[in-house]
Amino acid sequence: MQKTANVRRSRSAKRTPKVIHAADTQSHVILSARSRIGMGGDYPHFEPALFDAWRRSPRRIRAVLADAGFGSEPNHR
């Protein structure tokens, strides 16, 4: 019975929606949004989301605030 619950959880985890967005903290305008499905870290989506935000931002981006899901050595640089 335990195995069945794990299989069900695994199937539903693969369909879990995920949205990554980048917003201007002064105006609250969303500059980038990317949707994905599945579990896993957010760190691979950091650079593409930041690039999209940089292209659309009317101001120069001087600082980035991100949660721990985006933590990786390349993203810290």
Side-chain angles (χ1 to χ4, degrees), residues 14-63:
K14 291 176 184 172
R15 295 187 312 259
T16 303
K18 178 183 287 207
V19 177
I20 291 97
H21 71 275
D24 184 324
T25 56
Q26 287 184 328
S27 66
H28 302 278
V29 170
I30 295 175
L31 300 170
S32 173
R34 296 173 159 266
S35 62
R36 302 280 185 260
I37 58 170
M39 302 296 283
D42 296 328
Y43 61 89
H45 310 294
F46 179 77
E47 192 172 338
L50 186 59
F51 180 74
D52 290 346
W54 169 77
R55 288 184 336 164
R56 292 183 179 101
S57 179
R59 296 184 272 253
R60 193 175 126 221
I61 297 175
R62 291 182 277 165

